[in-house]
Amino acid sequence: MIYADYNGSAPICGDVKEYLINRLEKGPYSNPNAIHHLGQKVLMGMENARFTCSKILGCKPGQILFNSGSTEGISHIFYSLLCGKLEEGKNVIITSGIEHSAVVKTAKYYEEKGFTLKVCPTLPNGVVNMEALEVYLNETPGNVALVSIMAANNETGVIQPYKDMAELCQKHDTPIFSDTTQLIGKADFSFEESGLDYAVLSGHKIGALTGTGLIMAKDLNNLKPFIIGGGQEKDLRGGTQNYLGNETMAVALNYFKDNSHKLEDLKIKREEFEAKIKEAFPTVVIMGEDAPRLASSTYISLPGIHGQAVQIELESEEIYVTTSSACSDNEPVTSKVLKSMGVTDDVGRGVVRISLGLCSPLDWYDKIFDTITRAYNKLGKIKSY
Ligand SMILES: Cc1ncc(COP(=O)(O)O)c(C=O)c1O
């Protein structure tokens, strides 16, 4: 079996599995907020995890808030930064055309509440147009409540100039959040060096348990209580913490730190795969080919061959990839990310996303190449659209 959908969800990392089995056997279990000895032991374990996460993510333990994942983190950040801002005249939100639906739908929710939403266009290579961001920031000086532009795209893997964006926003005295869900665990990242005000991590994207995540904030005091409850997480998120889950994030991040040198090999193998597929099928399009991309993903299309048909062919040989096409009434559509890059439906319908992990065997690319070649040749004869 070849699992090539890490951008969707990474399998639980081997170190995490081993840690959890041991941890479940040995305990302790308790409420980390209890004052008795066991509670304090559990709290200490969780705070150690916070410390480890902070060290690897380049921030301070006091800048981390544990939660359930990126969707919650995004909602929490938007809520904190937009609450009461209309009344202050800060009525503009700037985002981009390549955001994940967790940002798109949250931004739309606030647009319906009266905010003006400005969406930065995308260059054909999948990079957000920085000039547009500057124009938007200059258009309404002092009125921008939040800039929210992702750091790496979940479909294309294109890495955005998030440090430049942070610098620009700093000059305009405007808070910036970047959805770093896909970047962390797939590329080096330091919150401090990023210059960002807020970033997020999703546990299941890095090999930790699903339902775990965290927010990084320059100053956690700028967040507002999102879930009201028993005062946990500095009163910013009520509810007993998922301490076991939080510990798995520290283990997964440690695994990334110890293995990140393998990213270069993965990138070289990805480039070899792309070169081979282009040679075999000269009309193949590689999304974001000339942009900086995550080493672990490639997003390709052979116009005329439907991506979902390719996915089914690959799955019949136990190779699990995804396409970007959402289906409504069985009508395949080009994803909004690709549309914002100006990709035509002919190409957009054909995409297949191959996303691997840090330690995926490199020869998986050879197996995927052989199978996709057979699929393209077979489907090319019957032309799926
Ligand atoms: C870029 C991006 N942002 C946010 C999310 C949502 O993350 P979670 O599943 O942790 O809520 C995802 C997950 O697919 C993602 O890829």
Side-chain angles (χ1 to χ4, degrees):
M1 197 258 274
I2 291 181
Y3 185 78
D5 187 21
Y6 275 69
N7 288 11
S9 204
I12 291 182
C13 144
D15 284 10
V16 169
K17 219 180 287 174
E18 202 179 306
Y19 175 84
L20 262 183
I21 290 168
N22 198 27
R23 177 73 178 79
L24 289 172
E25 266 175 10
K26 292 198 176 134
Y29 314 109
S30 182
N31 190 320
N33 309 292
I35 54 165
H36 51 65
H37 177 64
L38 275 186
Q40 291 303 295
K41 243 181 132 174
V42 165
L43 178 67
M44 207 185 297
M46 190 176 77
E47 291 312 314
N48 280 341
R50 198 187 309 267
F51 179 76
T52 303
C53 291
S54 73
K55 255 179 83 179
I56 298 169
L57 295 168
C59 61
K60 299 194 176 76
Q63 292 179 309
I64 286 184
L65 181 141
F66 285 133
N67 62 16
S68 70
S70 290
T71 303
E72 181 187 327
I74 290 162
S75 283
H76 194 167
I77 291 163
F78 269 70
Y79 169 77
S80 300
L81 286 149
L82 300 180
C83 199
K85 286 296 187 291
L86 275 182
E87 295 74 12
E88 291 173 25
K90 284 196 181 288
N91 60 339
V92 176
I93 305 168
I94 300 176
T95 175
S96 85
I98 57 163
E99 299 301 310
H100 186 270
S101 54
V103 164
V104 174
K105 290 192 178 168
T106 309
K108 285 228 164 86
Y109 170 85
Y110 285 98
E111 187 181 28
E112 280 163 20
K113 297 265 172 225
F115 284 88
T116 300
L117 181 59
K118 295 188 177 179
V119 180
C120 290
T122 318
L123 302 172
N125 65 359
V127 176
V128 171
N129 188 330
M130 283 287 288
E131 283 170 19
L133 173 61
E134 191 154 15
V135 168
Y136 287 166
L137 284 165
N138 284 326
E139 256 172 13
T140 47
N143 287 9
V144 183
L146 172 65
V147 171
S148 173
I149 299 181
M150 66 176 8
N153 184 263
N154 42 302
E155 288 183 32
T156 61
V158 170
I159 299 174
Q160 304 300 318
Y162 61 92
K163 288 186 191 173
D164 297 341
M165 289 174 192
E167 202 178 316
L168 191 59
C169 287
Q170 217 162 39
K171 270 191 212 146
H172 286 79
D173 203 15
T174 303
I176 176 165
F177 155 61
S178 186
D179 179 356
T180 43
T181 306
Q182 292 290 344
L183 187 80
I184 295 172
K186 301 190 185 94
D188 288 331
F189 174 74
S190 157
F191 183 63
E192 191 181 354
E193 285 170 20
S194 72
L196 296 167
D197 293 303
Y198 304 91
V200 289
L201 178 154
S202 170
H204 74 100
K205 304 287 187 195
I206 64 164
L209 281 186
T210 305
T212 62
L214 58 85
I215 291 179
M216 285 159 266
K218 253 186 198 161
D219 186 354
L220 276 185
N221 293 318
N222 289 334
L223 292 179
K224 291 190 163 60
F226 191 51
I227 301 175
I228 314 296
Q232 293 90 347
E233 294 298 290
K234 296 191 174 150
D235 225 354
L236 295 170
R237 183 185 189 262
T240 305
Q241 295 94 330
N242 177 3
Y243 60 91
L244 286 175
N246 297 340
E247 288 166 36
T248 66
M249 282 190 282
V251 179
L253 282 172
N254 251 328
Y255 176 81
F256 171 74
K257 177 176 68 75
D258 294 343
N259 289 283
S260 61
H261 59 277
K262 294 182 181 160
L263 285 170
E264 194 49 34
D265 291 341
L266 204 55
K267 188 171 166 214
I268 291 168
K269 195 68 192 178
R270 195 258 322 266
E271 279 165 7
E272 185 190 291
F273 167 81
E274 289 178 348
K276 268 167 51 183
I277 204 89
K278 276 200 309 189
E279 198 187 335
F281 303 93
T283 56
V284 151
V285 181
I286 294 165
M287 309 300 146
E289 187 176 5
D290 72 347
R293 279 181 292 153
L294 297 173
S296 52
S297 47
T298 179
Y299 198 34
I300 63 171
S301 168
L302 184 60
I305 309 285
H306 202 291
Q308 283 169 355
V310 180
Q311 185 231 311
I312 291 165
E313 287 293 322
L314 292 176
E315 189 159 342
S316 72
E317 300 205 22
E318 288 196 87
I319 297 174
Y320 296 93
V321 298
T322 49
T323 70
S324 86
S325 310
C327 267
S328 65
D329 301 329
N330 287 330
E331 277 300 317
V333 291
T334 303
S335 78
K336 59 180 169 36
V337 170
L338 294 179
K339 278 201 171 135
S340 83
M341 292 164 63
V343 170
T344 60
D345 281 343
D346 195 32
V347 175
R349 279 190 295 240
V351 285
V352 171
R353 181 183 73 183
I354 299 159
S355 57
L356 299 177
L358 206 51
C359 293
S360 302
L362 295 179
D363 70 356
W364 277 8
Y365 266 126
D366 301 325
K367 290 178 185 146
I368 295 171
F369 175 79
D370 290 344
T371 314
I372 217 168
T373 298
R374 276 199 300 281
Y376 278 166
N377 283 330
K378 176 178 162 188
L379 295 166
K381 288 192 191 121
I382 48 176
K383 277 262 176 189
S384 46
Y385 64 87

